[in-house]
Amino acid sequence: MIAPMRKIQELYGEQVEFRYNLNPLGIVESGEKMGAWQENWDFADMKWADIIWTNNISNWGGPYTARIVGKAKEFGKFVHFDTDDLLTDLYKGHRLYDTYKERNLEEITKFIYSNSDLVTVTQRKFAERIKPFCGGVLAIVKNAIDYHLPCWNVPKQPSPRKNMTRVGWAGGIHHEEDIKEFAGIPQLVNSRVGRENVHWGFYGAPQPNLDKDGNHKDEWQHDVWKNYKKIILSGFRGQPNWQIYNALSPDSYGGIYSQIDLAIAPLQMNAFNDSKSEIKVAECGRYKVPLIASDVGCYDETIVNGKTGYLLPANAPKSEWVKVLTKCIKNPKHVKEMGENLHKITEEYFDLNKVVKHRLELYQQSLGLIQGREQEFTPNYNSEWEFND
């Protein structure tokens, strides 16, 4: 999240100084008064800054995030809200759906959109969906990766067996509906290509985090992955040619692609998914891994069938997935060529070191657009928003 800002300061330090504060409003973080406001808080970092930037929803909650915007405007600051999640239309199958509704996060997000000088999102469909709520500049800024980091320079690991294609899926704990799009497909593909010619890797399972009694502290996350396994491997028979891998920390995550030859991204069609970025393209391309994905979101901007991967229609039948995967697994040369093609695109357009300059340009342009605008601001908070929740 903060990598682009740090990179701007690294490359353009004569123009930019960046400070990062997880609690700029001074809420009490622990103890009996946790959630109350600290007395005599001086808002030093907010008063120091020219631009106040916040991303998605703070760990302290939606009302806290809205108050960051309000306080920044009271201090006469330029406010930038950056997000890569469609927070105004969460689908019912999302694990956090009830939380969003109960905490009124959709309306809080609309307030933030309306009162920010600059709102940045990661793709065009997302921008169109929130445009009616934005009161300032709305811009599309693609996600990018710092390819200089060690985890994006891990040597490619050779396949353990000649002509074996390693198919990989990487995801977190909010993909239960998406996984259903891929239910039982590994077994169907095995029967067509031979299980000895394919390995299925599923990356992102929670790391063991046991209490003194040997129980998982995050039991629900492990339950999510148990359900993933049940769905994906439904109907699976015979010798396992699959493995579930634990999640890695952000500074080592990229290395998983060094042991993948072909990546998959099955997605359910809904407004939330259709507004997500194509960050997986940036990840895959760095390691010359072509991507087979549902035609959801903005994958159509970089994935061209047979050139950089394959796009399957949303809600495509299993037979379509099986057909495309079978074709690729039986033709490793084709997979390699597509990976090379995708790599050329991501090296040009998704390397943070090459594109971060455009973020600085966007700030300069946006600041110019609001010069002379009335800066007086009276927060119009909804009385139902509890800031110390």
Side-chain angles (χ1 to χ4, degrees):
M1 185 174 69
I2 65 174
M5 299 303 178
R6 284 179 170 167
K7 184 60 65 173
I8 287 177
Q9 180 170 281
E10 175 189 329
L11 298 179
Y12 305 99
E14 74 284 357
Q15 301 178 59
V16 177
E17 182 181 348
F18 169 60
R19 293 184 186 177
Y20 183 55
N21 191 331
L22 281 171
N23 185 13
L25 301 182
I27 201 168
V28 177
E29 300 186 24
S30 61
E32 294 181 358
K33 294 185 177 181
M34 181 177 177
W37 300 112
Q38 295 186 40
E39 297 180 5
N40 302 317
W41 186 254
D42 61 5
F43 302 95
D45 283 339
M46 296 188 75
K47 292 177 179 178
W48 162 85
D50 300 302
I51 297 172
I52 304 295
W53 163 77
T54 188
N55 180 290
N56 284 359
I57 298 296
S58 165
N59 288 342
W60 293 107
Y64 185 102
T65 312
R67 193 175 185 186
I68 290 176
V69 175
K71 273 294 181 184
K73 299 297 281 188
E74 287 178 22
F75 295 145
K77 306 300 183 176
F78 180 96
V79 178
H80 173 201
F81 182 66
D82 176 59
T83 181
D84 63 356
D85 283 334
L86 181 69
L87 305 177
T88 53
D89 191 12
L90 203 63
Y91 63 97
K92 288 187 176 181
H94 196 286
R95 180 171 287 273
L96 296 178
Y97 178 82
D98 290 340
T99 299
Y100 272 65
K101 292 297 183 182
E102 291 166 2
R103 300 188 180 184
N104 203 24
L105 292 182
E106 291 189 9
E107 294 305 313
I108 292 174
T109 303
K110 291 176 184 178
F111 166 87
I112 295 171
Y113 286 152
S114 177
N115 291 287
S116 294
D117 297 297
L118 170 65
V119 174
T120 52
V121 296
T122 50
Q123 53 118 308
R124 67 190 190 283
K125 295 178 184 177
F126 192 169
E128 288 297 327
R129 288 185 171 104
I130 69 168
K131 185 164 61 174
F133 312 124
C134 294
V137 177
L138 172 61
I140 298 169
V141 178
K142 292 291 186 180
N143 274 331
I145 293 174
D146 185 357
Y147 287 153
H148 288 178
L149 296 175
C151 68
W152 297 105
N153 294 279
V154 177
K156 189 78 173 185
Q157 299 181 27
S159 177
R161 188 179 300 119
K162 185 178 180 181
N163 294 327
M164 172 187 280
T165 298
R166 296 165 294 181
V167 181
W169 176 84
I173 53 177
H174 299 297
H175 291 283
E176 288 173 289
E177 297 303 313
D178 300 325
I179 284 295
K180 294 175 182 177
E181 301 290 317
F182 203 71
I185 289 177
Q187 173 61 24
L188 296 173
V189 174
N190 282 351
S191 65
R192 286 161 176 75
V193 304
R195 69 182 64 247
E196 71 278 3
N197 294 317
V198 57
H199 172 79
W200 304 94
F202 306 103
Y203 297 81
Q207 293 278 358
N209 185 17
L210 304 179
D211 60 23
K212 62 180 180 179
D213 297 320
N215 300 314
H216 289 296
K217 294 181 180 180
D218 304 312
E219 186 66 34
W220 70 271
Q221 296 188 19
H222 291 271
D223 288 342
V224 167
W225 269 82
K226 288 177 183 177
N227 194 39
Y228 283 2
K229 177 181 174 182
K230 181 179 178 181
I231 294 170
I232 296 171
L233 300 176
S234 59
F236 197 94
R237 297 183 299 276
Q239 185 69 23
N241 61 335
W242 55 267
Q243 186 169 342
I244 292 176
Y245 300 87
N246 288 330
L248 299 177
S249 61
D251 62 349
S252 56
Y253 166 76
I256 68 171
Y257 289 95
S258 68
Q259 49 191 327
I260 295 174
D261 303 308
L262 181 64
I264 56 173
L267 292 167
Q268 181 192 77
M269 172 56 82
N270 55 60
F272 182 85
N273 280 346
D274 201 40
S275 300
K276 294 293 286 183
S277 80
E278 70 282 55
I279 187 66
K280 196 171 293 291
V281 166
E283 296 170 353
C284 292
R286 177 60 174 174
Y287 281 98
K288 302 180 181 181
V289 176
L291 178 65
I292 302 176
S294 301
D295 190 3
V296 177
C298 56
Y299 284 133
D300 59 345
E301 296 178 8
T302 47
I303 302 301
V304 178
N305 286 342
K307 300 296 184 182
T308 53
Y310 284 91
L311 286 182
L312 299 181
N315 305 314
K318 292 181 181 180
S319 58
E320 287 296 309
W321 281 94
V322 172
K323 178 181 176 181
V324 170
L325 283 163
T326 298
K327 174 182 177 180
C328 292
I329 293 168
K330 287 187 174 182
N331 191 347
K333 182 180 178 181
H334 177 50
V335 171
K336 183 176 181 180
E337 290 173 349
M338 291 192 296
E340 293 283 355
N341 292 337
L342 185 58
H343 180 72
K344 294 175 183 177
I345 294 172
T346 56
E347 289 298 296
E348 181 174 359
Y349 295 107
F350 292 92
D351 183 351
L352 187 62
N353 299 280
K354 296 178 181 177
V355 301
V356 76
K357 63 181 180 181
H358 301 306
R359 294 174 183 255
L360 181 57
E361 292 168 355
L362 176 60
Y363 276 138
Q364 295 167 338
Q365 294 169 8
S366 301
L367 283 164
L369 286 172
I370 70 158
Q371 282 181 351
R373 180 195 291 179
E374 182 61 55
Q375 288 295 300
E376 291 184 7
F377 178 76
T378 302
N380 183 24
Y381 298 127
N382 187 313
S383 60
E384 296 179 357
W385 298 353
E386 296 294 336
F387 290 116
N388 60 351
D389 185 0

